[in-house]
Amino acid sequence: SEQSSMDFKEHAERTGFIQRIKSIETEKQQIHQFIRHPEQSIRTGDRTTVSNAPNHWNDTIQLDSLNLKELEALDLSCVPTPLETPWMLVDSVEKLKQCVNEMKFGVNYTDEDRDETNILHELAFDMEMHNHCNGGFGGASSRQPHRLELRTCLIQVTSNVTTFVKHYDGKETSLREVSKDYVIDPLAPGVWDAIPIYLGPLFADRNIVKIGHGIGGMDTSSLHRDFGVLLVNAFDTYEAASILSRRSSHNRFQSGLGLASLCKHYGLPTWKEYQELKSLYQCSDWRKRPLEERALEYGRYDVRYLITLRKLLMRDLVLLELSDRIGFSSASESSLDQYETSDEISAQ
């Protein structure tokens, strides 16, 4: 009957709504799980069972592998600075599409490449906000106002996907492999509404680990509030450094846990320039257009080193765990040789 048909439709709509709510709650729990335990970097992939992981994650989990000997000498001096890196200001929907496709398939992708496997598996991001109620301004690490007062004004992203650029070291020119940075302007025409469509799936993809600093403060909630975007599979460099700081027997991060301080600790040669830019632009009015070149440079500093920082922090977290287990405290070759497994181990 017609009434039965209407009842069935209402039941189906209600059931779908309930399932959607349950799905959102599940994703929120995962977000908090990843933020609380940043050393557990989990991505879907080959069938691998992870101990202590929620039941619905198993059968689809792939762990990162770390070669500790390769990471022993790694620091941030090997990462090109923002001035040495190609970048794009994303201020249109077409550029946003280009940004997403370049990160997924490579900078020089073709239409045929879209049928190939997505090569994006690490996505570093940061956001700049405007506090529109009390007139305060600032990035995600500034004083935390009431969350409903915030509005996203800028999203900066970079990824593991690389391209080659010419590099002159003072003696000769060579090709250098670098990742491209993108500064997304949500206030540009059409971009705000396009972000959930094009950028949202990347943030919700558990195959891609999202890397940020202090993302539990404003970034996670702002993505969801402004764009309906859920952050799934995240590594928070602030939380990771906090764990290292608490569990270390000495004061590991003497300059604090801010991103510029971490960059200094891990060997960034231009940390003073980064700190200067931070003091100049962190509390800027990010609504103003056009954006200053130096402000854009600061925004790119906030994401440029996060992918390598994650590797460094994971290395130190693993070594700290091994130190607790078998009693060695350095990454020396002799210490690593005492460990029963191969040099390449899974970071859980």
Side-chain angles (χ1 to χ4, degrees), residues 4 8 10 87 100 220 230 241-242 244 247 263 280 291:
S4 298
F8 177 79
E10 289 178 1
W87 71 286
V100 171
T220 302
L230 291 172
S242 179
L244 282 169
R247 292 180 57 186
C263 288
L280 287 173
L291 292 161

Side-chain angles (χ1 to χ4, degrees), residues 86 98-99 101-114 119 161-165 175 178 180 182:
Q98 178 184 343
C99 160
N101 283 327
E102 286 184 354
M103 288 194 295
K104 290 172 64 176
F105 308 114
V107 172
N108 299 313
Y109 78 96
T110 63
D111 289 337
E112 288 76 15
D113 293 327
R114 299 188 188 189
I119 59 176
V161 181
T162 59
T163 185
F164 289 92
V165 298
L175 289 177
V178 298
K180 184 175 179 179
Y182 303 89

Side-chain angles (χ1 to χ4, degrees), residues 46-74:
D46 295 337
R47 292 179 178 270
T48 307
T49 299
V50 180
S51 60
N52 301 324
N55 291 332
H56 62 281
W57 287 354
N58 282 327
D59 294 334
T60 59
I61 299 300
Q62 184 177 16
L63 301 179
D64 285 305
S65 292
L66 299 178
N67 189 310
L68 296 181
K69 285 187 176 180
E70 286 185 359
L71 292 176
E72 184 178 356
L74 179 67

Side-chain angles (χ1 to χ4, degrees), residues 165-169 172-176:
V165 298
K166 290 183 179 180
H167 174 69
Y168 180 68
D169 62 5
E172 59 182 6
T173 300
S174 60
L175 289 177
R176 189 175 191 179

Side-chain angles (χ1 to χ4, degrees), residues 193-242:
D193 291 335
I195 285 174
I197 300 171
Y198 298 105
L199 205 59
L202 301 186
F203 280 98
D205 189 342
R206 286 196 295 168
N207 288 289
I208 305 168
V209 58
K210 272 64 67 176
I211 309 165
H213 190 79
I215 57 178
M218 300 184 196
D219 292 349
T220 302
S221 59
S222 294
L223 281 170
H224 188 259
R225 180 197 64 240
D226 289 346
F227 309 107
V229 170
L230 291 172
L231 184 64
V232 180
N233 184 5
F235 185 97
D236 191 325
T237 54
Y238 174 85
E239 296 294 344
S242 179

